[in-house]
Amino acid sequence: NLAINADMSVSCNCQLDDGAGRLGSLAEHELADIIAGPVAASFRATLAAGRLPIAPCAACHDLQMVDPAGAARRASISAISEKGILVENTAACNLRCLGCDRESVRRTHLKHKLAPADIRKIADTIQRHHITTLYYFKYGEPFLSPTIGDELAVIRAVNQDLRIIISTNAGALDDDTKREAALQADLIYCSIAGMSDRTLRRYQRGGSFQNAYANMRALADYRRAQGASRPWIEWKYVLFNWNDHPAMLEQAVALAREAGIDALSFWPTTVPYYGISWRYRSGGLCAKIGQAFPGCRRVYFRPEQPAMG
């Protein structure tokens, strides 16, 4: 969950935490120095003592229970995980989702887009620490950056084997320049929370199902026209109690297959609490459809399956 934000600050988590999880700035220090620095060290010491250093820790996917000896041992480790890192190329977004406080995003970022020099430093940092997976998203919409193709090309140039995963609402993935940029990724999640404007806009305010679906389909068509095998294109369908009716899920499967994408996944959520899918929690179709995968149910349309993330 380590993240490099659009203002080059480094956060210990993927959540919007009002700056509480910020460990330092990559514009001022190297990543290794930040992880070994006083803020990160104090976080580790607090965790080792059985307390949470910041409130977002309570919901962190990386939080684990360990014995006191194991906690003390981990508190002294400042190694950077090779598994992956998040990079937020832009903090701007075209939507106003219920689970995202856009005002806090604007307030907590000193700047809202990575500069070319920032991208070069990030690319070198990824190489130096042998990081294997780049999650190229956080609280902004990656394809709102007009230079996303150049950004990914710089990162790829020095990290040819890097696995790049992008999550997009697909609203800005709307021309061939951006589709060409998308071909540099290994996996793209198109987060489309419904199968009509009525269901989608309950959560993704300001969005358009028709626009997002058309852009996702156009990306699949563009990939096929280029004779490319990547990126893996997956429709990420977040489940709420207003979009989880069996007929809606069956329609989404039909639309996904028609679009020529690789998979459709259904993800339950607890944000907002009043939108919780009780059909999923009570074992309805949305809890049985497709194949089980950590955190979701996935319907595959492509025989070969990549390592997911």
Side-chain angles (χ1 to χ4, degrees):
N1 281 328
L2 192 66
I4 301 172
N5 304 304
D7 58 2
M8 290 292 275
S9 61
V10 176
S11 298
C12 64
N13 66 81
C14 61
Q15 301 181 58
L16 181 60
D17 56 20
D18 259 353
R22 301 207 171 180
L23 308 177
S25 172
L26 198 62
E28 301 171 1
H29 303 285
E30 297 298 325
L31 186 60
D33 295 330
I34 293 171
I35 301 305
V39 178
S42 70
F43 281 18
R44 290 192 294 271
T46 303
L47 285 166
R51 302 189 305 275
L52 301 182
I54 57 173
C57 288
C60 183
H61 295 296
D62 289 339
L63 191 67
Q64 299 177 27
M65 295 293 289
V66 296
D67 60 65
R73 184 172 61 254
R74 293 186 185 200
S76 65
I77 298 174
S78 60
I80 297 168
S81 173
E82 296 180 358
K83 291 182 179 179
I85 194 167
L86 283 88
V87 169
E88 180 186 57
N89 68 327
T90 177
C93 191
N94 52 324
L95 302 183
R96 304 179 308 281
C97 296
L98 285 179
C100 180
D101 183 354
R102 298 307 306 170
E103 181 55 40
S104 291
V105 172
R106 286 190 290 270
R107 185 180 67 251
T108 58
H109 284 66
L110 297 178
K111 65 176 186 174
H112 295 83
K113 186 181 182 302
L114 293 174
D118 299 334
I119 295 292
R120 288 192 292 273
K121 182 163 187 178
I122 289 170
D124 291 340
T125 298
I126 290 171
Q127 181 192 48
R128 185 178 307 115
H129 296 288
H130 310 289
I131 293 172
T132 59
T133 302
L134 168 62
Y135 299 90
Y136 206 62
F137 59 91
K138 193 181 177 187
Y139 272 94
E141 165 50 49
F143 288 99
L144 277 181
S145 170
T147 59
I148 185 171
D150 295 333
E151 296 161 14
L152 294 173
V154 168
I155 293 170
R156 274 279 183 218
V158 293
N159 298 278
Q160 295 183 7
D161 296 326
L162 181 68
R163 183 165 168 259
I164 299 177
I165 297 175
I166 300 176
S167 182
T168 173
N169 60 49
L173 186 48
D174 54 5
D175 62 40
D176 282 352
T177 299
K178 294 176 182 177
R179 286 187 273 270
E180 185 64 28
L183 295 191
Q184 298 185 66
D186 295 280
L187 190 157
I188 290 185
Y189 288 110
C190 293
S191 186
I192 306 174
M195 32 60 63
S196 69
D197 282 353
R198 182 181 64 83
T199 53
L200 181 142
R201 288 173 178 165
R202 288 283 298 273
Y203 183 79
Q204 291 179 303
R205 294 173 299 185
S208 163
F209 170 78
Q210 296 298 334
N211 181 48
Y213 175 78
N215 289 341
M216 178 177 67
R217 182 169 184 163
L219 176 60
D221 291 342
Y222 187 85
R223 180 186 65 179
R224 184 168 52 254
Q226 301 302 311
S229 59
R230 73 177 191 192
W232 174 277
I233 304 170
E234 181 164 328
W235 176 356
K236 183 177 182 179
Y237 188 114
V238 181
L239 287 167
F240 301 100
N241 55 36
W242 55 76
N243 69 3
D244 64 351
H245 190 279
M248 294 179 178
L249 306 189
E250 291 169 357
Q251 183 179 357
V253 171
L255 287 171
R257 181 178 288 109
E258 183 180 330
I261 63 173
D262 304 306
L264 165 64
S265 52
F266 296 97
W267 298 76
T269 183
T270 57
V271 180
Y273 68 90
Y274 57 80
I276 291 173
S277 170
W278 296 110
R279 287 188 177 94
Y280 181 88
R281 292 179 178 272
S282 61
L285 175 63
C286 49
K288 300 174 182 175
I289 195 168
Q291 299 180 31
F293 190 83
C296 71
R297 304 287 305 188
R298 184 170 277 118
V299 179
Y300 291 102
F301 306 110
R302 181 171 167 179
E304 66 276 18
Q305 300 166 14
M308 307 308 292

